[in-house]
Amino acid sequence: FTTIGTGSFKPNEKANPTIGEIGKTQTEEEVQINVTFEKAKEKKILQALFKNHSYEEVAYEITTLENTNQNIGMGMVGELENP
């Protein structure tokens, strides 16, 4: 799942920004990407993210899924009257 929005950052004096200037707030159109993956793949996924991201600091968040029934998934299950 992806979400389009506007991100902002302000590089400090120790930064080497790809875009923007030190000490000035920079805004950029960005895309937030949400990915569901197995815990065992987390290290490789993060390594790939850090290696390929264009910014010095990567904003990311990891949230665990606490599914007690792994056959249901993240959404709702329903039955349609007509296929």
Side-chain angles (χ1 to χ4, degrees), residues 34-61:
N34 299 292
V35 180
T36 302
F37 57 87
E38 297 171 359
K39 176 71 174 164
K41 295 180 181 178
E42 181 178 317
K43 183 176 179 181
K44 285 187 177 185
I45 289 169
L46 289 177
Q47 286 173 339
L49 175 64
F50 296 145
K51 180 180 177 184
N52 293 287
H53 200 281
S54 61
Y55 296 168
E56 286 181 288
E57 294 289 332
V58 181
Y60 70 97
E61 176 180 32

Side-chain angles (χ1 to χ4, degrees), residues 5-6 11 14 21 26 40 44 47 57 61-63 71 78 82:
T6 303
K14 296 179 183 179
E21 297 178 37
Q26 176 75 24
K44 285 187 177 185
Q47 286 173 339
E57 294 289 332
E61 176 180 32
I62 296 177
T63 305
N71 296 322
N82 298 313

Side-chain angles (χ1 to χ4, degrees), residues 62-80:
I62 296 177
T63 305
T64 61
L65 296 176
E66 302 297 332
N67 293 18
T68 55
N69 184 341
Q70 293 298 311
N71 296 322
I72 292 176
M74 293 173 58
M76 291 178 48
V77 176
E79 294 182 17
L80 300 174

